[in-house]
Amino acid sequence: GCVLVVSVIEQLAQWHNSTVKAAVERLCNYIPGKYQIIRHMLRCIDREMNADVVCHSLKLCKQDPGQPLCHLYPSPKVSWFSTFFKATDGGSFMGFSSICAFPLLANLCEKIKYVIKNKLPFEDFDGDKFSTFPTLRGYHWRGRDCNDKNTTVYPGRRPDNWDVKSDSNCNGIWGVDPKDGIPYEEKFCKDADSQGVVLLGDSAGAHFHIPPEWMTVTQMSVKSFANLPMAFTNELDWPQFSEITGFLNSTIGGWTDSLYLRLRRRNRCNHRDLQNISQNGIMYFPINIAAYLSFSLARNQLLDNPAIVIYATIGNDVCNGNRDTLAHMTTPKEMLSNVVQALRYLDSRLPNGSHVILTGLVDGRFLWDNLHDRYHPLGQLNRDITYSQLYSFLNCLQVSPCSGWLTPNETLRNLTSERALQLSNVLKEIATSEKFANFDIFYMDFPLRQTAEEWQKMGGEPWQLIEPVDGFHPSQIAAALGTSITWQKVLHEWPQVLGKENPFNDQIEAIFKDQGGH
């Protein structure tokens, strides 16, 4: 993080032909809040050291005994130790103090840690796992609550007494038609096969994204950081634009198309019935997924509508930042045990008539093949940092999102893909052999190859399907195209999963507009 910030400061000075101090002031004007660390950075950068040297001199980066020295830029001609010593005048810098160390903030920090760990809303007054606040696992992740003071009112439930007096399921349909005395919910939704969509995923499902304009100085302005508070309170995820649960128009380099939006268009009664239960990084595999779900899933088997559950952990079971990455990958035996256990838990929670789709793992060799020799956003100004260099830097630090794929070692890339295929075959076998009482189960490959083919037919390049900053996750374009491919497969091969199209959609929309978008 330090290396990225110092690199941006250096490039801002270069691009605007200004001093480093002026560049720091410019960046501070973009991002609210100035920190003591800036003064220390200034002292070092003014000595014309590169970002690696500055961050090591501040003691924000370190070299562990016996470990290689990790750096993004070429080493300076003078020795590292000499450079560090001069930069700090022989002193030391203690780094950032934890904000959670303050007694008044300790409880708040613990609550934030709890809700993030368990994928729950920070602000949920009635405890039904739905919120009226967008971020901190709020309604960007689940349908928006329409009464956060009543635990029996939430998206996805079957209507209470056909919602004659109030909207118990937050789909905007309630009251009685004065022409015939029939409740609108009964008239429009009784036989509509209403169902929600639930994603159990990893960082790709959460839709991890770091805006490239945050570190591309030729594009940087005050507007570049306008969404920074929202991004951080969403853990740098953008589920509101994702391919499974997205519902807002995208502002991150593409258009929004999602399984939820398509289900909603098919049946307007499905409004707000979505849950994105996804986690960044190396998360709960190969540990007990059922225990994880018991905290996070919001579905009442007796009171709620059925759901389509998408199980899409497309990389986490083979991706980690360890040097002995193969030893830390999920084994086929672990995969079988964990997924079957999770499915059994779902069978105890999902209403009858639900569906589960298991998505296979991606073939991540696509990443290196299409990005390794291209310039990263941080290297575009001076043409000095490629994705290959970035991957090596992250691997050295042991914080790579996927050491097995983001590596020049072709043998390791092939072995990682081989394990991914083995785990996908486990999922395929589960879908074929396992039976459950309350849902049917299907398997589909992750549609990366078809997505790339479709994009190239539209005149695009394969590298545009990958997030530009991390060089790892699917981009917004890939998400939208993937939705279309997934939808067509399900529509043609398993049409019963999607339910029938509601013939009353136009009438529902008309009432919705008359109510002022309730």
Side-chain angles (χ1 to χ4, degrees):
C2 176
V3 169
L4 294 179
V5 172
V6 174
S7 297
V8 167
I9 292 171
E10 291 174 335
Q11 290 186 29
L12 275 172
Q14 178 185 347
W15 180 249
H16 293 282
N17 195 25
S18 71
T19 64
V20 168
K21 183 177 181 180
V24 171
E25 291 298 326
R26 186 184 299 274
L27 185 60
C28 286
N29 287 332
Y30 294 158
I31 306 173
K34 299 182 180 182
Y35 301 93
Q36 193 72 10
I37 185 67
I38 294 296
R39 290 198 300 108
H40 296 272
M41 286 183 175
L42 275 173
R43 293 169 57 203
C44 299
I45 301 173
D46 277 339
R47 295 171 181 266
E48 298 183 353
M49 300 175 187
N50 69 32
D52 295 306
V53 178
V54 170
C55 294
H56 276 273
S57 72
L58 296 175
K59 306 293 192 273
L60 293 177
C61 301
K62 64 178 181 177
Q63 180 185 12
D64 292 329
Q67 298 296 323
L69 184 64
C70 302
H71 55 94
L72 184 60
Y73 295 89
S75 302
K77 294 180 181 179
V78 295
S79 72
W80 282 89
F81 179 82
S82 172
T83 306
F84 295 159
F85 189 82
K86 292 177 182 177
T88 57
D89 296 329
S92 64
F93 176 71
M94 298 304 294
F96 295 105
S97 296
S98 171
I99 192 170
C100 294
F102 292 98
L104 293 176
L105 297 177
N107 290 338
L108 177 64
C109 288
E110 287 304 311
K111 182 178 179 182
I112 291 175
K113 290 177 185 177
Y114 176 81
V115 299
I116 289 178
K117 176 183 177 182
N118 295 303
K119 317 298 166 284
L120 297 173
F122 179 81
E123 185 181 89
D124 178 17
F125 297 111
D126 56 14
D128 59 11
K129 300 183 181 178
F130 294 90
S131 177
T132 59
F133 191 74
T135 61
L136 284 174
R137 294 279 168 172
Y139 68 76
H140 281 176
W141 298 84
R142 305 175 191 252
R144 183 173 181 172
D145 203 340
C146 53
N147 186 344
D148 206 20
K149 298 179 180 179
N150 188 337
T151 190
T152 66
V153 175
Y154 53 85
R157 68 159 294 168
R158 296 192 185 106
D160 179 25
N161 191 30
W162 295 118
D163 284 356
V164 171
K165 296 183 179 180
S166 62
D167 187 7
S168 68
N169 55 16
C170 302
N171 68 357
I173 304 168
W174 61 283
V176 177
D177 189 339
K179 297 177 183 177
D180 53 23
I182 300 176
Y184 288 120
E185 183 85 47
E186 181 180 7
K187 178 181 288 189
F188 296 146
C189 304
K190 181 178 181 180
D191 299 312
D193 290 344
S194 298
Q195 58 187 343
V197 58
V198 179
L199 172 65
L200 309 179
D202 51 21
S203 54
H207 208 37
F208 185 85
H209 167 80
I210 298 176
E213 57 269 24
W214 287 6
M215 57 186 65
T216 309
V217 298
T218 56
Q219 304 173 15
M220 196 174 290
S221 68
V222 174
K223 292 182 179 179
S224 302
F225 296 94
N227 53 17
L228 186 137
M230 183 275 295
F232 274 106
T233 49
N234 262 344
E235 304 159 54
L236 289 176
D237 295 322
W238 309 70
Q240 66 273 33
F241 305 140
S242 78
E243 64 179 300
I244 303 299
T245 62
F247 61 92
L248 293 178
N249 291 329
S250 173
T251 58
I252 57 172
W255 63 100
T256 300
D257 191 6
S258 70
L259 184 62
Y260 162 72
L261 284 176
R262 289 179 177 240
L263 283 170
R264 185 185 179 279
R265 285 196 295 268
R266 192 172 179 84
N267 179 8
R268 178 61 179 72
C269 301
N270 292 331
H271 182 51
R272 293 191 189 176
D273 194 356
L274 63 98
Q275 296 181 54
N276 190 319
I277 306 174
S278 300
Q279 170 67 43
N280 293 338
I282 305 154
M283 56 171 188
Y284 43 87
F285 304 102
I287 68 170
N288 191 326
I289 311 170
Y292 163 82
L293 285 173
S294 67
F295 285 102
S296 309
L297 180 67
R299 214 66 179 182
N300 186 302
Q301 198 164 49
L302 299 178
L303 298 178
D304 297 349
N305 285 320
I308 302 174
V309 178
I310 311 296
Y311 185 100
T313 58
I314 66 171
N316 276 12
D317 286 285
V318 296
C319 285
N320 59 73
N322 297 287
R323 290 201 170 93
D324 55 343
T325 180
L326 290 170
H328 289 81
M329 294 180 185
T330 302
T331 66
K333 183 178 179 180
E334 289 170 334
M335 190 75 164
L336 176 64
S337 173
N338 294 334
V339 175
V340 169
Q341 189 175 10
L343 291 173
R344 287 172 180 164
Y345 176 79
L346 288 174
D347 202 28
S348 71
R349 289 291 300 275
L350 293 177
N352 189 262
S354 296
H355 313 277
V356 173
I357 298 177
L358 304 178
T359 303
L361 280 70
V362 70
D363 185 347
R365 289 175 292 193
F366 184 89
L367 303 167
W368 179 269
D369 292 345
N370 289 286
L371 279 186
H372 74 277
D373 57 352
R374 296 188 60 84
Y375 289 110
H376 185 267
L378 208 58
Q380 289 175 4
L381 180 64
N382 295 312
R383 303 178 71 83
D384 58 352
I385 300 175
T386 63
Y387 283 94
S388 177
Q389 289 171 259
L390 176 71
Y391 295 156
S392 296
F393 181 49
L394 297 177
N395 280 326
C396 179
L397 294 170
Q398 298 184 55
V399 296
S400 171
C402 198
S403 296
W405 277 324
L406 308 184
T407 172
N409 186 332
E410 183 178 6
T411 300
L412 183 54
R413 298 199 303 271
N414 291 337
L415 287 172
T416 304
S417 289
E418 182 180 321
R419 177 63 62 86
L421 180 60
Q422 291 171 356
L423 300 184
S424 294
N425 286 336
V426 170
L427 295 175
K428 190 181 299 185
E429 177 61 26
I430 289 173
T432 303
S433 61
E434 297 289 336
K435 303 297 179 185
F436 298 91
N438 290 305
F439 57 82
D440 46 14
I441 185 169
F442 308 91
Y443 170 85
M444 67 175 292
D445 290 320
F446 185 78
L448 179 59
R449 180 181 56 80
Q450 301 97 308
T451 300
E453 290 173 354
E454 288 296 318
W455 182 234
Q456 287 177 294
K457 288 178 184 177
M458 297 168 66
E461 297 287 342
W463 58 267
Q464 294 170 313
L465 300 175
I466 307 169
E467 276 291 319
V469 172
D470 61 60
F472 177 65
H473 294 91
S475 69
Q476 183 66 25
I477 295 170
L481 289 175
T483 297
S484 177
I485 293 167
T486 299
W487 180 269
Q488 292 303 319
K489 179 177 178 63
V490 177
L491 185 65
H492 290 116
E493 297 188 21
W494 316 311
Q496 72 275 21
V497 171
L498 303 177
K500 57 192 175 186
E501 190 160 358
N502 192 333
F504 302 107
N505 279 336
D506 290 342
Q507 295 180 55
I508 296 171
E509 288 291 349
I511 293 175
F512 184 78
K513 291 176 182 177
D514 288 344
Q515 292 177 341
H518 164 69

